[in-house]
Amino acid sequence: MEFERIADIKRLNFIIEVLRSRLPEGAEVLDVGCGNGVISRSLGAQGFKVRGIDVSDKAIAKAKSLNTLPNVRFEVVSAEQLVAEGSRYYAVICSEVLEHLHEPGKLLGVLSQSLHPDGILVVTVPNGKGPRESLVTKPFINMQKKQDWRWRMLLKAKKLFGYSGTTKQSDAEDLTHIQFFTRKSLDRLAQDNRFRIVRYGKTNFIEDVFPFSFFTKKIKALQRMDCAIAEILPYSFTGGFVTVWEKNQTAS
């Protein structure tokens, strides 16, 4: 298990459970925007056949360097190339990707063409009105745009406390969030792109919001408690959404 944070493991377990219940035997999983390949390799370790793709040469190079599984492969592939291939998948993973895109609908259009009519798309995104996005991400982005002196002070403070700015899933230099999804806007995005969301799940609550994160990153029991608390709170309080999408066959 490459993931260490309980919220990341919870997200991964959601994906594994969905694939086990919906993926035809022997079918290959497509992991779009795979980054460093941690989800692809984690799925491969569970016996799934996985193809991880990303537009970043750097990300794919790292993914390949860390891979030892014969049932997992990584490639630099663009959306245009994916469409040109004409391949169809019964399961596509798009985890922590859409929030970074200016036009997420364009990628969803590609994924719709790459998905078998009976296939599933597993999408995970931060909750745009959740604790972390509201209390950390949005204020930080606003300060960055204004070149506020507090932004520079926060950068120094984060480094001092051991926050690198990257994630286990990606070492990309720019992980800025552009989209801030709610359940309503995510449902609308799905409908606009001929999908329907058939299942929602939650990740965590407040464990990755500083100063809580300073303690929870070191104490797994607090992370487990936080994820459990998220399950009993309304969806508006969750840090992230884990969802299953199906193609809307009746859409005009």
Side-chain angles (χ1 to χ4, degrees):
M1 176 68 72
E2 295 186 47
F3 281 127
E4 297 175 354
R5 287 180 65 242
I6 301 302
D8 291 333
I9 294 172
K10 184 179 180 182
R11 185 185 300 112
L12 175 63
N13 286 339
F14 176 90
I15 295 171
I16 292 172
E17 185 268 319
V18 169
L19 293 182
R20 283 179 174 163
S21 65
R22 298 288 301 269
L23 189 68
E25 185 175 354
E28 186 175 47
V29 178
L30 179 67
D31 183 9
V32 175
C34 66
N36 297 340
V38 61
I39 289 180
S40 295
R41 290 189 300 276
S42 298
L43 294 177
Q46 295 291 319
F48 295 103
K49 183 180 179 182
V50 187
R51 180 192 186 193
I53 64 171
D54 203 292
V55 294
S56 169
D57 293 279
K58 179 181 177 182
I60 292 299
K62 181 167 185 177
K64 286 182 176 180
S65 71
L66 295 172
N67 187 41
T68 60
L69 299 167
N71 53 324
V72 178
R73 59 188 175 121
F74 294 103
E75 300 172 72
V76 177
V77 175
S78 68
E80 292 77 14
Q81 289 172 303
L82 195 60
V83 171
E85 288 178 5
S87 300
R88 291 289 187 95
Y89 295 85
Y90 280 95
V92 176
I93 310 299
C94 187
S95 181
E96 308 303 290
V97 173
L98 297 183
E99 67 272 17
H100 301 289
L101 305 180
H102 286 284
E103 297 180 281
K106 285 189 175 181
L107 176 60
L108 290 171
V110 169
L111 299 186
S112 178
Q113 294 180 64
S114 304
L115 193 66
H116 190 277
D118 296 324
I120 54 167
L121 171 63
V122 182
V123 174
T124 79
V125 292
N127 173 11
K129 290 189 176 180
R132 178 172 174 79
E133 297 294 82
S134 297
L135 300 175
V136 178
T137 306
K138 289 178 182 177
F140 190 80
I141 289 174
N142 288 334
M143 283 188 282
Q144 184 178 11
K145 287 179 179 178
K146 297 176 182 178
Q147 293 292 298
D148 193 305
W149 64 269
R150 291 173 295 177
W151 169 62
R152 294 184 178 85
M153 292 295 292
L154 280 171
L155 282 179
K156 292 179 180 179
K158 287 179 69 175
K159 291 180 180 178
L160 182 65
F161 284 109
Y163 294 87
S164 64
T166 61
T167 68
K168 187 73 175 180
Q169 200 162 322
S170 176
D171 286 346
E173 294 179 1
D174 185 4
L175 293 174
T176 304
H177 291 183
I178 298 170
Q179 306 291 339
F180 296 92
F181 297 107
T182 62
R183 282 193 70 176
K184 184 176 180 179
S185 67
L186 202 58
D187 281 330
R188 184 167 60 249
L189 179 67
Q191 292 169 7
D192 289 345
N193 291 279
R194 303 174 67 87
F195 285 100
R196 59 191 179 98
I197 301 177
V198 297
R199 181 176 171 186
Y200 269 95
K202 307 169 186 175
T203 54
N204 57 351
F205 173 41
I206 205 168
E207 60 96 355
D208 53 359
V209 175
F210 189 82
F212 303 102
S213 58
F214 180 71
F215 301 99
T216 57
K217 69 184 296 190
K218 301 176 180 179
I219 306 173
K220 294 292 179 64
L222 292 178
Q223 295 181 30
R224 292 188 185 93
M225 183 185 300
D226 188 77
C227 286
I229 290 172
E231 289 300 318
I232 63 176
L233 292 174
Y235 271 96
S236 56
F237 290 95
T238 186
F241 301 121
V242 286
T243 64
V244 180
W245 302 29
E246 294 178 351
K247 294 178 77 168
N248 190 350
Q249 306 295 344
T250 61
S252 57

